[in-house]
Amino acid sequence: MGRESGASDIEIKVQGMRGDDDDLNTAVSPFPASQPPRRQPPPEHRPFQRWTPWLVPAFVLANLVVFAVIMYENDCPKTFLGDCVAVFLGRFAFQPLKENPLFGPSSSTLEKMGALDVRKVVHEHQGWRLISCIWLHAGVIHVLANMLSLLLIGIRLEQEFGFARIGLLYAISGFGGSLMSALFIKSSISVGASGALFGLLGGMLSELLTNWTIYTNKHLFTLVLIIAINLAVGVLPHVDNFAHIGGFVSGFLLGFVLLIRPHFGWVAQKNAPPGYHATPVKHKHKLYQYILWIIAAILLIVGFTVGILMLFRGVNANDYCSWCHYLSCVPTSIRSCSSSTISCLSSQEGNSLNLMCGGNKRARSYLLPNATEAQIEELCSQLCS
């Protein structure tokens, strides 16, 4: 019986303690009994810094402003005295489509504003045209297509790598595209940001190859799609595919130099929380990254040096590559891709310029008073193509 009485006493004490604990919990706990405390989600971890893009949008705005200035300077209704397109735009009206099918200015206006003209670069020491032509476009279709592609590719690259590296990649690739164009195309002027744009594509490809584990198929699909579209456009008449190729190769090599990332082992060690012991990593980059960096830097220096020397010595690269002109031209029944010199017979009668191609014997008259040599060569190139 003593054991039973002791058991009863203990039972009563335990019940009283439970009641006291419930009162204490009710008074101290800041959370209602029916609503347990919520766990805060862990902050998003980003191993690499994300940049706010501003340079690429600034490039787009600059190209659009420059195109507007060119159209204002062109003033088709006043200077052409012919059937301009969209005359309601006033001095912003476009040249006739038979002269410029891209809805833009005349070739003489582009040449005046800084288009790439090999003769002026070599014989008049106007090397600045290798850079200025990057900011010019031949028409509305040309500038809109390039700027859309620049936004699609450039914004992501600037977010990942910052404005300094992407700005250098854009400018140097554009120069590389202009240099290759000048070596292969001698008879007409060249304009456009396509070389710089393809440099961004090339840099993106090389960066994808060295860091392929952090990308999805969507990135690769976008890259391949834009490259395919622009290369397809590059073989059409009056489009400079050599600038595309030169810019792409320059950007591809620059990507190994400018867009190099530290490998994840080093990043994980650097960002490891206190108390966590990661595997020690001594080197920021892997060995193959250093090797690619050295090879790409050497090829860039040698390539640009040889190209500049060839250009200012007046070398025509077609003389050393008899098939290269097919990279920018697809021969058809109405279009020849012959790399032979184009020549035309020209005569000026008042406001009319009469041209006859020496190759296919085509003849045409243009309402063009006081035609310049650059205008005649450009129209001759169109007539003989």
Side-chain angles (χ1 to χ4, degrees):
M1 290 180 63
R3 185 180 295 269
E4 290 178 1
S5 175
S8 177
D9 293 340
I10 294 173
E11 182 180 357
I12 293 171
K13 291 179 180 180
V14 171
Q15 289 177 352
M17 292 176 65
R18 285 179 180 173
D20 294 340
D21 287 345
D22 291 341
D23 293 341
L24 180 61
N25 291 338
T26 303
V28 175
S29 176
F31 301 100
S34 59
Q35 296 183 5
R38 297 179 180 178
R39 293 183 178 180
Q40 297 294 329
E44 182 180 2
H45 175 64
R46 292 186 179 274
F48 303 109
Q49 179 181 358
R50 300 280 289 186
W51 302 74
T52 301
W54 63 268
L55 185 64
V56 168
F59 281 167
V60 172
L61 180 60
N63 278 277
L64 295 176
V65 170
V66 169
F67 181 74
V69 172
I70 291 173
M71 292 307 303
Y72 181 85
E73 180 68 23
N74 186 65
D75 195 4
C76 179
K78 180 179 179 180
T79 58
F80 186 71
L81 301 177
D83 297 328
C84 300
V85 178
V87 291
F88 62 89
L89 295 176
R91 63 186 299 152
F92 291 96
F94 310 120
Q95 293 295 118
L97 295 182
K98 64 181 180 180
E99 179 183 348
N100 188 340
L102 299 177
F103 296 94
S106 65
S107 58
S108 60
T109 300
L110 291 171
E111 186 268 336
K112 175 183 176 182
M113 299 296 290
L116 178 58
D117 186 336
V118 177
R119 292 178 296 103
K120 292 184 178 295
V121 171
V122 176
H123 302 294
E124 299 181 23
H125 307 290
Q126 297 182 7
W128 51 269
R129 290 180 178 271
L130 293 168
I131 297 295
S132 63
C133 67
I134 302 172
W135 305 94
L136 308 181
H137 288 84
V140 173
I141 298 175
H142 190 199
V143 68
L144 290 182
N146 276 351
M147 294 306 101
L148 177 61
S149 298
L150 177 57
L151 287 173
L152 289 174
I153 296 299
I155 290 292
R156 192 201 69 80
L157 284 175
E158 188 176 353
Q159 287 176 333
E160 295 291 336
F161 298 99
F163 69 93
R165 286 189 280 183
I166 298 307
L168 285 173
L169 177 62
Y170 184 89
I172 298 175
S173 298
F175 175 80
S178 299
L179 182 60
M180 187 168 184
S181 175
L183 290 172
F184 283 94
I185 299 180
K186 304 291 186 178
S187 60
S188 62
I189 63 174
S190 178
V191 295
S194 300
L197 171 62
F198 262 85
L200 296 182
L201 296 176
M204 185 176 180
L205 179 60
S206 59
E207 192 259 336
L208 186 147
L209 293 176
T210 53
N211 307 288
W212 63 272
T213 56
I214 65 175
Y215 291 105
T216 63
N217 292 333
K218 181 180 178 180
H219 293 102
L220 181 61
F221 175 78
T222 302
L223 177 63
V224 173
L225 178 63
I226 294 179
I227 291 176
I229 292 174
N230 281 274
L231 284 177
V233 171
V235 298
L236 295 176
H238 316 307
V239 180
D240 184 3
N241 214 26
F242 287 111
H244 295 175
I245 298 171
F248 182 82
V249 173
S250 300
F252 182 74
L253 295 175
L254 283 166
F256 293 116
V257 176
L258 297 176
L259 307 186
I260 185 173
R261 287 184 185 272
H263 64 88
F264 278 103
W266 187 87
V267 174
Q269 176 182 272
K270 181 180 179 182
N271 297 328
Y276 178 80
H277 299 286
T279 304
V281 178
K282 296 182 179 180
H283 301 288
K284 186 175 182 179
H285 302 95
K286 292 187 176 181
L287 178 61
Y288 75 88
Q289 291 178 304
Y290 289 113
I291 295 175
L292 290 174
W293 192 98
I294 294 173
I295 294 175
I298 293 174
L299 291 176
L300 281 168
I301 294 173
V302 172
F304 278 123
T305 302
V306 172
I308 292 172
L309 290 175
M310 290 176 62
L311 174 62
F312 285 98
R313 290 181 179 180
V315 176
N316 188 342
N318 291 292
D319 297 336
Y320 299 91
C321 183
S322 59
W323 55 268
C324 284
H325 58 277
Y326 292 113
L327 296 175
S328 188
C329 176
V330 173
T332 64
S333 58
I334 60 175
R335 183 189 183 199
S336 172
C337 293
S338 174
S339 59
S340 58
T341 304
I342 297 174
S343 62
C344 290
L345 296 176
S346 64
S347 62
Q348 185 81 50
E349 298 179 0
N351 292 334
S352 296
L353 172 66
N354 302 314
L355 289 180
M356 185 179 72
C357 178
N360 55 28
K361 304 302 180 183
R362 290 180 184 173
R364 182 175 295 178
S365 296
Y366 301 88
L367 186 58
L368 191 63
N370 302 319
T372 64
E373 184 179 354
Q375 288 177 308
I376 294 175
E377 289 192 3
E378 179 67 16
L379 292 175
C380 177
S381 176
Q382 297 176 14
L383 186 62
C384 294
S385 63

